Amino acid sequence: MGIQKGLEDTIVALATPQGVGAIGVIRVSGTKAIILVDEFFSGKNLDKVASHTVHFGRLQDREGFTLDEVLVTVFRHPASYTGEDSVEISCHGSSYILEKVLTLLIEGGARLAGPGEFTLRAFLNGKLDLSQAEAVADLIASENVTSHRMAMDQMRGGISKKIGGLRQQLLDFASLIELELDFSEEDVEFADRGQLKELLLTILHLVEELMASFKLGNVLKKGINTVIAGRPNAGKSTLLNALLEEERAIVSPIAGTTRDTIEELLQIEGIPFRIIDTAGIREAEDAIEQIGVERTMEKVRQSAVVIYVFDVIAMPPEQVREDIAALQQEGIPMLVVANKMDLNPYTLPEHYLEPDQEGVVWVALSALNGMNIAHLKNELVRQVTTGKGIMDTTLLSNARHLEALMSTRESLTAALRIMEDGISSDFMAIEIRHALNHLGEITGEVSTEDLLGNIFSNFCIGK
């Protein structure tokens, strides 16, 4: 079924998860939604009730058999989620009852909704723009306060508001340039080139700002890869257990016990960290351990934060410096954890670190006793939030938006270059139109059936 086809149909779907529960909610939307439900509802005449009202009654089949006692909520267009007449039926969560109600409504003239069709109709009816519609799926999938905050910000129009005003200004200038082209023989200039250049630079700055936020937004959405690395018996597994406050990893005095990676999700101040305990870095004694060491280095290269753990009793400073040099990756912060500080409390960072060593933060603790674990957690949060203001800034976390912004940047840069080189305005107008189209792809002001089909096919049925 094409995106634009079937929009006159009345659609129905189960809005709550499959399976037995106390309550199940069935959603109906379309021009005949209220009349259809009213046909099987024994209670008030739903065709006469006000919007946003709830009514108790019985659902009965055509033979008068009562399927269930229900609560029916009526939403009249345009003041509904989809912008159409809509009804939500709350009944008991029996799989049998829900199936019978769905069958009854389908036989009455509704059809089963496709994936994301309710939200698609909300978009097509102007209740949401495309970026807000995509945020609905992210909101449903959010598993922590940060991904929830990003989805809510996008659903409330965070990205749309940033782009919308500037796009409209650019559209106004584009119209003036197009007008100039119509009067090319008179050699007139309607669009002030100084103001246009300033606007292009402003939009370019916003585009680059949003693009730069994608890396952080994406890892916050999925969990920040945080690798615990170090030599055997440095206390890596003990540290993992201390961070998680449970015995997740096997702790043993035998070197090389951890031969594969162990991954656990840890929430710190609402930020998800994917903590990865790795095999000890040393000369491997067998092929299996060698694979473990290679995986450790691979995880380090893929990490967002590295926690390097060393034993202050067993490790001399030159070995620590050697490990840091091997593990440190450009642009990836490293927390150097001096473990077992309770046994050697006089250890100082200058004993182990190079003077003014960049990208490295010293944390002294005892993983076994839990000493300074809270400080380590605070440092982890600080490393991913300092200077970024993640709780107050719009973050990009959608790969489709990133791709559109990359294309926008390319077109804006080309338009500025054409302006500076004094090339004909025809070419500048083409690049500005391209930039407008790419920005419009984010909010859905420019869209295709294939694009919409791809986005909404990933939604669950009933949303």
Side-chain angles (χ1 to χ4, degrees), residues 317-318 321-322 324-325 349-358 360:
E318 59 271 18
R321 286 192 284 270
E322 180 184 319
I324 291 174
E350 51 264 35
H351 296 160
Y352 292 88
L353 305 180
E354 301 287 355
D356 302 319
Q357 190 161 6
E358 293 185 2
V360 169

Side-chain angles (χ1 to χ4, degrees), residues 280-300:
I281 49 173
R282 67 168 182 174
E283 289 295 326
E285 296 182 356
D286 56 54
I288 295 176
E289 189 177 358
Q290 179 61 36
I291 293 172
V293 173
E294 290 172 358
R295 286 185 179 178
T296 294
M297 297 309 298
E298 182 182 353
K299 290 293 184 182
V300 167

Side-chain angles (χ1 to χ4, degrees), residues 4 13 26 78 127 144 151 163 247 287 316-317:
Q4 300 295 335
I26 291 172
K127 304 298 289 186
N144 57 72
I163 291 174
E247 297 298 315

Side-chain angles (χ1 to χ4, degrees), residues 217-242:
N218 199 41
V219 296
L220 286 175
K221 185 176 176 181
K222 297 179 178 178
I224 299 165
N225 281 350
T226 306
V227 173
I228 302 176
R231 300 206 178 192
N233 285 347
K236 300 185 299 300
S237 297
T238 305
L239 180 60
L240 174 66
N241 292 338

Side-chain angles (χ1 to χ4, degrees), residues 268-289:
I268 308 175
E269 296 183 21
I271 299 173
F273 289 86
R274 195 168 295 281
I275 308 293
I276 306 168
D277 183 20
T278 60
I281 49 173
R282 67 168 182 174
E283 289 295 326
E285 296 182 356
D286 56 54
I288 295 176
E289 189 177 358

Side-chain angles (χ1 to χ4, degrees), residues 172-213:
D172 293 341
F173 268 104
S175 301
L176 293 176
I177 293 172
E178 298 285 352
L179 190 61
E180 288 178 7
L181 297 177
D182 290 339
F183 291 88
S184 56
E185 294 181 2
E186 281 77 6
D187 193 27
V188 293
E189 188 175 280
F190 296 112
D192 185 292
R193 292 303 189 265
Q195 291 180 7
L196 177 58
K197 182 177 181 180
E198 184 178 340
L199 177 61
L200 291 175
L201 288 171
T202 300
I203 298 175
L204 188 59
H205 176 73
L206 171 63
V207 166
E208 290 178 339
E209 184 181 85
L210 286 171
M211 287 173 60
S213 77

Side-chain angles (χ1 to χ4, degrees), residues 15-206:
T16 45
Q18 294 282 350
V20 177
I23 297 293
V25 177
I26 291 172
R27 174 181 276 176
V28 190
S29 184
T31 54
K32 298 179 181 178
I34 298 173
I35 297 171
L36 172 61
V37 176
D38 186 58
E39 183 180 348
F40 304 104
F41 182 68
S42 175
K44 285 190 177 180
N45 183 346
L46 298 180
D47 196 34
K48 304 294 184 184
V49 302
S51 182
H52 293 71
T53 55
V54 184
H55 308 279
F56 173 78
R58 296 188 303 276
L59 273 186
Q60 298 176 322
D61 63 19
R62 296 189 188 281
E63 285 71 45
F65 177 76
T66 298
L67 296 177
D68 197 11
E69 292 185 337
V70 299
L71 288 176
V72 170
T73 308
V74 174
F75 304 92
R76 296 190 178 277
H77 82 285
S80 71
Y81 178 71
T82 60
E84 306 171 326
D85 284 348
S86 299
V87 178
E88 290 184 359
I89 304 168
S90 299
C91 52
H92 292 95
S94 155
S95 299
Y96 171 78
I97 292 173
L98 294 171
E99 183 180 346
K100 293 297 287 185
V101 174
L102 283 170
T103 301
L104 190 68
L105 295 173
I106 291 170
E107 289 176 350
R111 68 166 172 82
L112 196 62
E117 190 168 358
F118 290 93
T119 304
L120 170 63
R121 291 189 177 199
F123 164 68
L124 294 174
N125 290 326
K127 304 298 289 186
L128 302 167
D129 68 30
L130 195 53
S131 69
Q132 290 174 306
E134 288 172 297
V136 172
D138 287 341
L139 186 63
I140 294 170
S142 63
E143 295 179 347
N144 57 72
V145 67
T146 309
S147 58
H148 174 267
R149 188 203 66 80
M150 287 192 294
M152 284 299 298
D153 178 66
Q154 187 175 325
M155 199 167 77
R156 289 172 177 169
I159 291 176
S160 306
K161 289 173 185 174
K162 279 183 172 288
I163 291 174
L166 292 174
R167 184 179 184 275
Q168 183 58 51
Q169 291 180 53
L170 185 58
L171 185 60
D172 293 341
F173 268 104
S175 301
L176 293 176
I177 293 172
E178 298 285 352
L179 190 61
E180 288 178 7
L181 297 177
D182 290 339
F183 291 88
S184 56
E185 294 181 2
E186 281 77 6
D187 193 27
V188 293
E189 188 175 280
F190 296 112
D192 185 292
R193 292 303 189 265
Q195 291 180 7
L196 177 58
K197 182 177 181 180
E198 184 178 340
L199 177 61
L200 291 175
L201 288 171
T202 300
I203 298 175
L204 188 59
H205 176 73
L206 171 63

